[in-house]
């Protein structure tokens, strides 16, 4: 029996088919142009999972669809619920991965090749950008790590690959594919260190509360319940509407 079969479906990582389903939706015309793709979503959720603060769904879910306040279009309420469920499942898979063994967590990053160069390079910029977007949700809460003596080294690959605007001196450190590849190789170790750094602040018990909260709230949201996106409207008039998710 595989690990996937043993684990509760709500905390097991998505299957390959489910991952493809989520990725296809994020690449589709149904989502706003500035929505996160699967790599940046994975980085975003990772920052939320391993950071110092347990966030409410309404704190982070709307950010998936970009800063413009637009929302995806769904043909049916069932389709909206399905995508919400896949995102929550993916997040719970990240929770489980870090609780099980933070040193073996693998960020969802791909590779890139360039004309005239036979080598394939790790392509982690959008993943790191998503992670930094997750940090920005509660940047003040992350300040102890920014200020810690070891903080600069731990955060360096994430900052260099994912910051919005780098000074000229730092841009020179990510100018070539080889430089970016080296930084991408450092990501798993940095993420494990971040996870361990915040354990005194946010224990494994707190992280399990993320999964239990998701279990209570999704995918069974009552049509007359407040919408979990935080809009203040009833679910049936907001994310539960056939054509909208806010």
């Amino acid at each position: 029996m595989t690990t996937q079969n043993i684990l509760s479906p709500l905390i097991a990582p998505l299957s390959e088919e489910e991952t493809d389903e989520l990725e296809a939706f994020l690449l589709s015309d149904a989502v706003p142009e500035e929505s996160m793709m699967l790599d940046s979503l994975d980085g975003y959720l990772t920052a939320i999972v391993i950071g110092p603060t347990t966030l409410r769904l309404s704190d982070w879910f709307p950010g998936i669809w970009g800063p413009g306040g637009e929302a995806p279009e769904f043909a049916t309420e069932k389709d909206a619920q399905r995508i919400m469920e896949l995102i929550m499942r993916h997040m719970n898979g990240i929770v489980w991965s870090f609780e099980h063994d933070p040193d073996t967590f693998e960020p969802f990053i791909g590779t890139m090749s360039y004309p005239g160069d036979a080598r394939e390079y790790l392509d982690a910029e959008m993943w790191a950008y998503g992670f930094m977007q997750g940090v920005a949700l509660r940047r003040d809460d992350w300040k102890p790590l920014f200020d810690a003596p070891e903080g600069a080294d731990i955060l360096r690959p994430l900052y260099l690959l994912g910051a919005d605007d780098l000074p000229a001196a730092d841009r020179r450190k990510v100018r070539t594919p080889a430089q970016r590849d080296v930084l991408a190789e450092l990501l798993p170790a940095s993420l494990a260190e971040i996870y361990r750094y915040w354990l005194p602040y946010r224990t494994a018990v707190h992280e399990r509360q993320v999964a239990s909260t998701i279990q209570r709230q999704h995918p069974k949201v009552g049509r007359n319940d407040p919408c979990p996106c935080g809009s203040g409207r009833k679910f049936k008039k907001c994310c539960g509407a056939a054509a909208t998710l806010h």
Side-chain angles (χ1 to χ4, degrees):
M1 182 178 293
T2 66
T3 302
Q4 176 94 6
N5 297 137
I6 296 171
L7 293 171
S8 163
L10 283 172
I11 63 172
L14 295 181
S15 67
E16 184 175 347
E17 292 77 13
E18 289 169 327
T19 300
D20 290 343
E21 180 184 353
L22 178 56
E23 183 172 30
F25 175 77
L26 294 173
L27 289 168
S28 73
D29 292 336
V31 301
E33 188 174 340
E34 293 185 289
S35 294
M36 294 180 177
M37 298 297 97
L38 189 58
D39 51 359
S40 52
L41 174 63
D42 188 69
Y44 184 67
L45 296 179
T46 300
I48 294 166
V49 165
I50 69 175
T53 308
T54 300
L55 302 180
R56 297 171 301 174
L57 182 71
S58 59
D59 293 329
W60 61 266
F61 195 84
I64 295 171
W65 314 120
E70 298 182 49
E73 296 181 358
F74 294 97
T76 67
E77 178 184 334
K78 183 178 179 181
D79 291 341
Q81 291 275 15
R82 174 60 175 169
I83 294 303
M84 189 178 288
E85 176 192 348
L86 291 176
I87 291 171
M88 302 306 169
R89 286 271 316 284
H90 187 62
M91 185 178 190
N92 276 324
I94 296 171
V95 172
W96 181 85
S97 294
F98 277 97
E99 288 186 355
H100 178 68
D101 186 354
D103 293 307
T104 60
F105 176 75
E106 296 182 5
F108 192 90
I109 57 178
T111 59
M112 178 75 73
S113 58
Y114 298 87
D117 189 342
R119 178 180 170 185
E120 287 197 340
Y121 298 90
L122 292 175
D123 181 22
E125 289 176 274
M126 291 310 299
W127 192 97
Y129 175 78
F131 187 94
M132 297 304 290
Q133 292 296 105
V135 170
L137 294 173
R138 288 294 185 274
R139 189 172 182 84
D140 287 347
D141 295 350
W142 283 76
K143 194 172 186 301
L145 179 56
F146 298 152
D147 295 341
E150 68 274 31
D153 286 338
I154 292 173
L155 293 168
R156 179 173 171 269
L158 292 153
Y159 161 72
L160 289 174
L161 289 169
D164 267 324
D165 188 23
L166 293 172
D170 287 335
R171 286 200 300 272
R172 288 193 288 270
K173 299 174 184 177
V174 291
R175 185 175 51 196
T176 68
Q179 289 172 313
R180 297 191 293 272
D181 184 89
V182 170
L183 291 168
E185 291 279 8
L186 297 174
L187 285 178
S190 288
L191 297 172
E193 288 297 316
I194 292 170
Y195 174 80
R196 292 189 176 98
Y197 179 88
W198 291 121
L199 280 180
Y201 303 83
R202 178 183 178 178
T203 64
V205 172
H206 294 147
E207 292 180 343
R208 283 195 293 272
Q209 288 174 349
V210 174
S212 65
T213 298
I214 291 168
Q215 183 174 1
R216 290 195 303 271
Q217 294 180 346
H218 299 284
K220 303 298 184 182
V221 181
R223 289 182 56 76
N224 290 310
D225 292 341
C227 188
C229 77
S231 68
R233 291 180 288 172
K234 291 183 178 180
F235 179 71
K236 67 182 179 182
K237 297 293 187 181
C238 192
C239 289
T244 333
L245 178 62
H246 297 286

